[in-house]
Amino acid sequence: MKRKWLLASACCALLFTLTGCGKTVEEQIDTGVASAQTVFEENPQQPNKTIGKIELYVPSGYDVKESEDLNNLIITQGEESYILFVNYQEKEDSNLQYELLKNDSSKKIIKEETVEFDGAFGFSAVLDYDEEQFELIVSSGGVKMSTISEDENIDQKLVDMMTIVRSVKVLEEKE
């Protein structure tokens, strides 16, 4: 009898796993954008890395390094590369990045969502990049992160990106 229950439990777990992997691109985008908004409204993760004048939280499995441009960091996870852009002049409530996106007629936005919470403005967006790739963008105030992605794990990538963006703190210059 125990063996039957164990087998049934294993089959259910496998079914749930396969169902999760079988999300359509549209479902991944919808889930990812909604989840990124939820992450925006939560308490930011405490930074665990300092690069130059930037403190940020880098999830397990991700690496971060400075680029030649002091406003950009390169974040990688395996083969995936992300660009983290920090505009030191913009405040938490800035919507400059969003306005730049909306005013760029060359961008084909599939889905975007803005959020305002506790004096901060942010957004997440998925853009059509080419036939098989998407541009993922998340932003909080003057901090923006983007990547070009295949149609896999879009939902999790958007969550991780928003988690990173929301954690960014610019270190004040000591006078």
Side-chain angles (χ1 to χ4, degrees):
M1 187 68 164
K2 287 183 182 180
R3 188 173 176 178
K4 286 183 181 179
W5 281 109
L6 184 60
L7 184 59
S9 295
C11 286
C12 286
L14 181 61
L15 179 63
F16 285 125
T17 301
L18 291 175
T19 303
C21 293
K23 288 183 187 175
T24 67
V25 173
E26 292 79 16
E27 289 171 329
Q28 290 181 57
I29 291 170
D30 288 345
T31 301
V33 169
S35 297
Q37 183 172 355
T38 301
V39 169
F40 188 94
E41 295 173 346
E42 294 174 347
N43 287 329
Q45 290 285 332
Q46 289 300 312
N48 59 4
K49 296 269 187 200
T50 303
I51 307 290
K53 297 189 324 184
I54 302 170
E55 287 185 330
L56 72 157
Y57 172 77
V58 180
S60 177
Y62 286 80
D63 291 310
V64 62
K65 63 182 178 180
E66 285 183 90
S67 71
E68 292 178 16
D69 182 345
L70 298 176
N71 291 35
N72 292 315
L73 298 178
I74 307 299
I75 299 177
T76 58
Q77 181 194 33
E79 299 289 318
E80 299 280 333
S81 292
Y82 303 80
I83 296 175
L84 181 72
F85 170 77
V86 179
N87 183 336
Y88 298 99
Q89 307 306 314
E90 296 298 315
K91 305 285 187 226
E92 260 195 308
D93 63 351
S94 172
N95 65 354
L96 176 65
Q97 295 298 327
Y98 181 68
E99 292 301 321
L100 291 172
L101 173 66
K102 293 298 282 184
N103 292 327
D104 186 343
S105 60
S106 71
K107 301 288 187 178
K108 298 174 190 148
I109 300 171
I110 296 171
K111 184 166 184 87
E112 46 106 355
E113 189 76 39
T114 62
V115 60
E116 293 183 60
F117 181 76
D118 204 20
F121 176 85
F123 74 93
S124 56
V126 178
L127 290 68
D128 189 17
Y129 186 74
D130 65 26
E131 289 180 18
E132 298 178 12
Q133 295 180 315
F134 302 90
E135 183 175 2
L136 311 180
I137 302 171
V138 300
S139 178
S140 176
V143 181
K144 178 179 97 170
M145 188 171 185
S146 62
T147 189
I148 304 300
S149 177
E150 303 290 327
D151 62 355
E152 298 173 354
N153 303 317
I154 290 172
D155 46 356
Q156 187 59 52
K157 289 174 186 173
L158 287 167
V159 166
D160 290 349
M161 291 167 67
M162 187 62 83
T163 300
I164 293 167
V165 164
R166 287 293 286 162
S167 74
V168 171
K169 294 179 182 173
V170 176
L171 298 173
E172 298 293 324
E173 302 262 349
K174 303 275 193 247
E175 295 184 27

